[in-house]
Amino acid sequence: MKPNKITALQYSTITFFLLNSFLMNVGYHKITTSSYNDSILDILLGGITILVFSFFIFHFQKKQKQNILDIIQKHFPKIIKVFFFIILFFLIGFTSIYALSILTSFVHYYILKEVDSIIILMTLVATTIYIVSKGIPAIGKISEIFFYIYLLIFIISFIGLIQYIDLSNLKPLFITDFKSHLTSSEIYFFSSITPLLLLSIIPMHQVEFKEKNKKLPYLLILLSIILVFIQLILIISVLGIHLTNVYQTPDMIIYKKISFLNVLERIEVVLAFNNILNSLFFIIMGVYFIKTIISYFLPKKKEHILYTLIAILFIILGNLIPIDTSFYLRINIILFIVFFFFILLHYLSKYIRSLLNTPRS
């Protein structure tokens, strides 16, 4: 592999973790309380729309070769450029701080109850800044390594829960109305907007795609959807839909049931590592996105100051700003509109330039 490049597999594993951030940033509770057992079907419906949107994103990236900020920098007038930079800075910033707050609370509650949450927050920020400072190649390598660990942990959790599965808990199906189905599938779809847009910060010329692995990102997106689908089936079949709706993180509740030969207890702490990974890569890519925006206005020599400012900003705001799930989803919807507006302006500007450059007869 060439320096400063990542493989198609590394790009795909980053995509996988970004999409899985749904499990922490939104969670099953938001969907199951809307459509109950039918939420299983809504994961599939929302998954189809995610695949369609990801196809559009990847097609645009491959065609442009540049990252989204370079396109804005080179192809738009100053006022529009500043508008996009500011709005992306705040929207990506809010979603990243939201994910950081969720992850800090999760680690404090389930893993390190005796440690003050501010210490956990500072540790997460320091880890994120360090990884981001190493660049996309380092992020790609880390994501590939942790992808295999993620799959291993998922398999262990599946095996440990088999004895508790009661498929009768999945009944009845097809009991909710169309509006509930639409709401649940929309929640799952819109939770993917920010993760997929975070991918647009990676220019395609930095990814080593070959003919045989061009479909790899779609395969890992599909794998993410399938794993979310399987995990929801496990949760409902073990807890039943009413208990599932009671807990904000029902996956952690079912993990508490797992023990191997009555020797390995409290294994849910190990299994919780997957949830940490789902949030951590979202935060890493969010910080990288923000850092790239700011770097357009700061000289490269000041990069250490930039990282320090981002770290201080995230520590302060991550400890002060309460952002709920509904607000996070609204930001995703706004980002969807902004991206649509960006695509429209981009192609209109190219069309206008081509008209201006066409010689008159």
Side-chain angles (χ1 to χ4, degrees):
M1 189 178 70
K2 297 175 183 177
N4 296 321
K5 293 225 173 197
I6 61 173
T7 65
L9 177 60
Q10 290 168 355
Y11 178 84
S12 303
T13 54
I14 293 171
T15 307
F16 174 85
F17 283 119
L18 287 175
L19 281 180
N20 273 13
S21 65
F22 157 79
L23 298 172
M24 287 287 282
N25 292 345
V26 179
Y28 292 117
H29 183 265
K30 194 79 175 175
I31 292 180
T32 57
T33 51
S34 177
S35 55
Y36 296 88
N37 285 350
D38 286 349
S39 57
I40 297 168
L41 306 173
D42 297 334
I43 290 293
L44 297 177
L45 291 172
I48 293 169
T49 56
I50 288 172
L51 278 169
V52 172
F53 186 64
S54 64
F55 175 81
F56 182 77
I57 291 282
F58 293 153
H59 176 74
F60 179 77
Q61 280 186 276
K62 287 175 182 177
K63 196 172 181 182
Q64 301 302 320
K65 299 292 184 184
Q66 302 168 309
N67 71 50
I68 190 169
L69 297 179
D70 280 339
I71 296 170
I72 294 170
Q73 175 75 5
K74 294 178 181 178
H75 298 283
F76 289 111
K78 187 175 181 180
I79 189 167
I80 297 177
K81 177 173 63 178
V82 171
F83 165 77
F84 276 121
F85 278 174
I86 290 173
I87 200 165
L88 286 173
F89 177 83
F90 281 104
L91 294 180
I92 299 296
F94 274 126
T95 55
S96 302
I97 291 167
Y98 167 80
L100 180 63
S101 300
I102 292 289
L103 182 55
T104 302
S105 299
F106 178 84
V107 173
H108 179 64
Y109 186 81
Y110 286 106
I111 302 172
L112 299 172
K113 287 187 178 181
E114 68 283 359
V115 179
D116 196 281
S117 57
I118 188 65
I119 302 298
I120 298 169
L121 176 66
M122 290 173 70
T123 304
L124 290 171
V125 170
T127 303
T128 300
I129 293 295
Y130 177 77
I131 294 171
V132 169
S133 68
K134 297 299 178 182
I136 291 296
I139 297 171
K141 288 173 185 175
I142 294 168
S143 71
E144 183 180 356
I145 293 166
F146 282 130
F147 173 71
Y148 299 115
I149 297 173
Y150 187 99
L151 292 182
L152 177 62
I153 291 175
F154 183 86
I155 292 167
I156 290 170
S157 64
F158 183 82
I159 294 170
L161 288 168
I162 286 176
Q163 60 180 313
Y164 301 106
I165 291 175
D166 181 2
L167 294 178
S168 64
N169 285 332
L170 299 176
K171 298 177 182 178
L173 290 170
F174 305 106
I175 58 168
T176 50
D177 56 22
F178 176 76
K179 185 179 178 181
S180 297
H181 281 295
L182 187 63
T183 300
S184 294
S185 55
E186 278 181 349
I187 288 170
Y188 186 39
F189 167 68
F190 281 117
S191 73
S192 74
I193 300 301
T194 302
L196 287 173
L197 288 184
L198 287 176
L199 278 173
S200 65
I201 199 62
I202 305 175
M204 278 300 176
H205 65 75
Q206 200 172 353
V207 186
E208 290 187 324
F209 277 111
K210 297 177 183 177
E211 195 61 38
K212 62 181 180 181
N213 57 27
K214 280 186 177 180
K215 295 180 181 178
L216 200 54
Y218 301 109
L219 292 176
L220 263 69
I221 288 172
L222 187 60
L223 178 63
S224 172
I225 295 165
I226 290 170
L227 292 186
V228 169
F229 174 74
I230 292 171
Q231 192 173 35
L232 182 55
I233 289 177
L234 280 174
I235 290 168
I236 296 176
S237 62
V238 172
L239 293 179
I241 190 61
H242 297 295
L243 271 179
T244 300
N245 286 342
V246 169
Y247 300 110
Q248 287 291 331
T249 53
D251 52 329
M252 291 302 298
I253 303 304
I254 63 172
Y255 289 160
K256 289 180 179 181
K257 293 178 176 288
I258 300 174
S259 66
F260 290 99
L261 303 174
N262 294 320
V263 176
L264 291 176
E265 302 291 341
R266 293 279 296 162
I267 197 170
E268 74 271 10
V269 175
V270 178
L271 300 179
F273 186 64
N274 274 7
N275 281 341
I276 294 173
L277 291 176
N278 291 333
S279 264
L280 188 60
F281 279 97
F282 182 93
I283 299 164
I284 287 168
M285 292 305 296
V287 171
Y288 186 84
F289 202 107
I290 292 166
K291 169 250 172 186
T292 308
I293 291 176
I294 300 174
S295 65
Y296 282 99
F297 304 97
L298 280 178
K300 201 165 184 179
K301 293 178 182 178
K302 306 287 185 182
E303 202 166 68
H304 60 290
I305 298 174
L306 172 58
Y307 286 126
T308 304
L309 288 173
I310 292 173
I312 293 170
L313 183 69
F314 269 63
I315 289 169
I316 294 173
L317 296 181
N319 202 41
L320 293 178
I321 297 181
I323 308 173
D324 62 12
T325 307
S326 298
F327 185 64
Y328 170 74
L329 288 170
R330 288 192 197 102
I331 290 177
N332 276 265
I333 294 169
I334 294 169
L335 273 171
F336 181 75
I337 295 168
V338 168
F339 183 72
F340 177 79
F341 185 54
F342 160 74
I343 293 292
L344 187 64
L345 276 179
H346 177 65
Y347 282 111
L348 277 176
S349 64
K350 285 181 72 175
Y351 178 72
I352 291 168
R353 282 198 305 271
S354 65
L355 282 178
L356 292 173
N357 293 330
T358 302
R360 297 179 182 178
S361 56

